[in-house]
Amino acid sequence: MKYLIKYFIDFTVLVFLYVFVFFRKWRTQGRDRLLVNTLMYAYLSLVLYFTMMPVVVAIPFMLDHPYKPMNLVPFIDVSLGRGDFFRQVFLNVIMTLPFGFLLPLTGGKRTRFGVTVFFCFLMSLGIELLQPFFDRSSDITDLITNVIGGVLGYGLYAIFKPVTFWVLERLKTR
């Protein structure tokens, strides 16, 4: 029960930020912007949930445990049979697919392939560098597979761009 309260506090903070800060701003920009930005916010909240939560309650205790250095040998867990391929690789790729798809939609025409990959790399690097402070492990394999997921997500964006913009245009006219 105590563990659920920690998650509830983080969830409450995320909902509060959305309702009282972001929703008010995005609502004035039109339904298309509200949809895309809300999807990105929900996605980033889920990434936070799966990679670092609980955060708010854990901040005072970030330095109460030994720092676990990042594993810098790519795919060592997979090659040594520690962990499973599905969890180590596939789920990390899947986790950042939406980022590669949604970032160009939130950033507009200036967000091209290189910018998307760069920001996907920065997001993943930030997660991997912060995870040890929340008593979680970090791994270079996660960084590599997250960037691959961002690249594949951008590929899906490029493929579905006409359909996506058609839907967003319909939201503008309503």
Side-chain angles (χ1 to χ4, degrees):
M1 183 68 173
K2 199 161 96 173
Y3 198 67
L4 290 175
I5 291 171
K6 292 177 182 180
Y7 280 95
F8 180 74
I9 291 170
D10 280 7
F11 179 74
T12 303
V13 168
L14 288 171
V15 169
F16 180 85
L17 279 172
Y18 177 76
V19 170
F20 294 107
V21 178
F22 297 115
F23 178 76
R24 290 179 179 195
K25 178 182 176 187
W26 296 336
R27 182 180 58 190
T28 63
Q29 297 173 353
R31 289 183 183 179
D32 58 329
R33 295 285 94 207
L34 177 63
L35 174 66
V36 169
N37 289 333
T38 299
L39 286 173
M40 182 61 112
Y41 186 84
Y43 160 72
L44 290 173
S45 296
L46 284 172
V47 168
L48 183 65
Y49 173 79
F50 285 111
T51 60
M52 293 197 308
M53 274 190 173
V55 175
V56 175
V57 178
I59 288 175
F61 309 104
M62 284 175 40
L63 302 176
D64 286 354
H65 52 80
Y67 184 85
K68 299 175 190 171
M70 179 184 234
N71 171 31
L72 296 175
V73 180
F75 302 98
I76 186 103
D77 289 342
V78 174
S79 65
L80 293 177
R82 291 183 280 166
D84 56 7
F85 177 79
F86 180 77
R87 187 182 71 74
Q88 283 289 319
V89 176
F90 185 70
L91 289 178
N92 278 308
V93 170
I94 295 298
M95 182 180 78
T96 51
L97 270 168
F99 188 84
F101 189 90
L102 290 170
L103 187 67
L105 295 174
T106 59
K109 294 180 181 179
R110 66 183 186 274
T111 309
R112 301 195 192 289
F113 176 75
V115 172
T116 302
V117 172
F118 178 69
F119 279 107
C120 184
F121 170 78
L122 285 180
M123 178 186 74
S124 182
L125 181 63
I127 289 168
E128 295 304 318
L129 291 175
L130 288 172
Q131 278 181 330
F133 289 108
F134 296 96
D135 205 20
R136 301 195 56 168
S137 62
S138 66
D139 196 324
I140 193 74
T141 304
D142 296 350
L143 183 62
I144 294 167
T145 53
N146 287 343
V147 172
I148 291 169
V151 168
L152 294 174
Y154 189 89
L156 290 174
Y157 161 76
I159 292 169
F160 292 106
K161 186 177 178 179
V163 174
T164 304
F165 280 98
W166 180 82
V167 169
L168 293 176
E169 281 298 318
R170 296 301 167 272
L171 285 174
K172 279 184 186 177
T173 58
R174 289 184 174 197

